[in-house]
């Protein structure tokens, strides 16, 4: 994928987000912590937003990172293997233990909540690694490990 296609998709996506949320360029620029002229350059594909800016957009507006940087939505195929599910269960248990140790008591997480959190964790992990691979295609041990969790 070449950078021109990425820039066009990001600029188009930024404009779409801004219009969908009835924001002026100045307002979205303020939310992102940049000058209006900088934001305008993003929309016009004259400048690329930083990872920090992309992160704010993804979190604040619940945007699929693949769609933002690549122009196509994530297929959200959700088929984690047993090791991934077990690791997530351990993560939730650690969180519960942490809350108990802080004196907050054990948090209640229903089966529905747990299933939702597992899917979000899975999609977030995949999106993060796919984005990171676009920036730095050198595969690390962690990336290879996570990639193998789908198999």
């Amino acid at each position: 994928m070449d950078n021109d296609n990425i820039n066009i998709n990001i600029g188009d996506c930024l404009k779409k987000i801004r219009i969908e949320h009835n924001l002026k360029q100045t307002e979205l620029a303020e939310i992102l912590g940049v000058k209006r002229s900088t934001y305008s350059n993003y929309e016009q594909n004259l400048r690329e937003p930083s990872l920090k800016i992309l992160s704010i957009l993804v979190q604040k507006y619940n945007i699929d990172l693949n769609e933002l940087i690549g122009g196509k939505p994530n297929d959200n195929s959700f088929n984690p293997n047993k090791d991934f599910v077990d690791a997530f269960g351990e993560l939730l248990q650690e969180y519960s233990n942490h809350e108990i140790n802080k004196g907050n008591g054990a948090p209640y997480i229903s089966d529905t909540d747990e299933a939702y959190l597992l899917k979000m964790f899975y999609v977030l992990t995949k999106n993060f690694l796919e984005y990171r691979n676009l920036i730095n295609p050198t595969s690390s041990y962690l990336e290879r490990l996570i990639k193998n969790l789908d198999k």
Side-chain angles (χ1 to χ4, degrees), residues 11 20 31 39 48 53 75 92 94 101 125 130-131 148:
E20 285 176 354
I31 290 168
Y39 176 79
E48 291 183 18
I53 297 299
D75 64 6
L92 280 182
E94 285 294 320
N101 290 337
T125 302
E130 288 169 5
Y131 177 72
N148 288 330

Side-chain angles (χ1 to χ4, degrees), residues 28-134:
L28 189 50
E30 186 176 313
I31 290 168
L32 299 174
V34 298
K35 295 179 182 177
R36 190 212 53 83
S37 60
T38 301
Y39 176 79
S40 178
N41 286 338
Y42 296 157
E43 272 193 17
Q44 295 175 50
N45 302 306
L46 300 173
R47 186 172 178 177
E48 291 183 18
S50 68
L51 180 57
K52 178 182 175 186
I53 297 299
L54 295 176
S55 176
I56 293 169
L57 287 165
V58 166
Q59 292 174 8
K60 185 158 182 68
Y61 296 106
N62 195 27
I63 301 166
D64 184 321
L65 186 58
N66 287 332
E67 187 173 4
L68 182 61
I69 64 173
K72 45 188 173 175
N74 190 343
D75 64 6
N76 285 330
S77 57
F78 182 61
N79 190 21
N81 69 16
K82 182 181 179 331
D83 291 337
F84 190 91
V85 173
D86 290 347
F88 180 74
E90 290 175 18
L91 178 69
L92 280 182
Q93 187 59 52
E94 285 294 320
Y95 171 74
S96 292
N97 292 342
H98 175 74
E99 289 299 305
I100 291 168
N101 290 337
K102 284 177 30 182
N104 296 333
Y108 172 73
I109 301 174
S110 71
D111 290 343
T112 303
D113 292 340
E114 186 172 342
Y116 174 79
L117 288 170
L118 173 63
K119 183 173 183 177
M120 292 300 100
F121 181 69
Y122 180 82
V123 170
L124 178 65
T125 302
K126 285 185 76 168
N127 283 346
F128 168 76
L129 293 175
E130 288 169 5
Y131 177 72
R132 187 165 158 219
N133 193 41
L134 283 174

